[in-house]
């Protein structure tokens, strides 16, 4: 399977604990995105990497959240001191700029986080 | 006002019906318009994208964009139970940020 993969698929943690999620994008894609999706809502943009550079972070991303993409390959999203409001599906997507300015993003299956 | 408005539904139709899904948006800078399908507990998958106003057809799916009204639509002909999913509109200015609608839940009854 050459699609976007995410690990773990599910994570249950207690409030105050730290969690880390991993995303492996499609190998030839240089762009990588993290989104958060809550029930009944569309994905909300969190952050964006072009190769290894983190070019944009949403104001939604508090200082408890950090993301890395070492060597421009896989990416990790860490949430420190988790809160119940962090419970959501965390989606990763990757893309490669297309002709005509398009940016077709391919999504992974997501990591569902539950904070107790 | 949200940048993208989408009726969350749910929308329930009998098999074989024509389905119409819609979004309105407020930012005239959006240039690319996409529709994603998301099955329960899965990531979204791209169905169609269009650039600028007009229609684009792909099999049973037709995407329509009216930039003057800031209104986009997805039509599904001969709907099937396998079309039951959440449909998300997504808009893109050409930079890096894609804005998603809240999604419309569709149920196609056999």
């Amino acid at each position: 399977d050459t699609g976007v993969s995410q690990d773990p698929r599910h994570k249950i943690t207690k409030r105050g604990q730290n969690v880390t999620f991993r995303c492996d994008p499609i190998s030839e894609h240089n762009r990588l995105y993290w989104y958060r999706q809550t029930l009944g809502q569309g994905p909300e943009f969190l952050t964006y990497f072009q190769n290894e550079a983190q070019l944009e972070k949403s104001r939604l991303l508090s200082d408890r959240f950090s993301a890395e993409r070492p060597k421009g390959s896989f990416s990790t999203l860490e949430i420190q001191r988790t809160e119940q409001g962090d419970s959501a599906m965390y989606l990763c997507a990757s893309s490669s700029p297309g002709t005509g300015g398009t940016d077709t993003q391919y999504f992974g299956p997501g990591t569902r986080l539950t904070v107790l | 006002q949200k940048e993208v408005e989408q009726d969350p539904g749910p929308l329930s139709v009998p098999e074989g019906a024509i389905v119409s899904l819609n979004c309105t948006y407020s930012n005239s800078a959006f240039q690319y318009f996409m529709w994603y399908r998301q099955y329960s507990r899965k990531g979204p998958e791209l169905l169609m994208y269009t650039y600028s106003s007009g229609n684009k057809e792909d099999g049973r799916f037709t995407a329509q964009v009216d930039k003057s009204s800031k209104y986009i639509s997805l039509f599904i002909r001969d709907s099937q139970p396998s079309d039951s999913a959440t449909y998300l509109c997504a808009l893109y200015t050409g930079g890096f940020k894609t804005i998603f609608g809240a999604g419309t839940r569709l149920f196609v009854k056999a």
Side-chain angles (χ1 to χ4, degrees), chain B residues 69-85:
Chain B
S69 302
K70 298 188 179 65
Y71 191 85
I72 64 173
S73 302
L74 178 71
F75 299 96
I76 307 174
R77 290 185 302 280
D78 188 25
S79 56
Q80 303 295 310
S82 58
D83 295 327
S84 297

Side-chain angles (χ1 to χ4, degrees), chain A residues 2 6 10 12-13 16 24 38 40 45 61 72 82 85 89 91 110 113:
Chain A
T2 57
Q6 293 186 245
H10 305 275
I12 300 174
T13 192
D24 286 273
T38 54
F45 170 80
L61 215 62
T82 52
M89 173 81 91
L91 292 162
L113 173 66

Side-chain angles (χ1 to χ4, degrees), chain B residues 2-15:
Chain B
K2 287 186 178 180
E3 286 191 274
V4 181
E5 299 279 356
Q6 184 175 12
D7 187 335
L11 180 62
S12 183
V13 300
E15 183 176 358

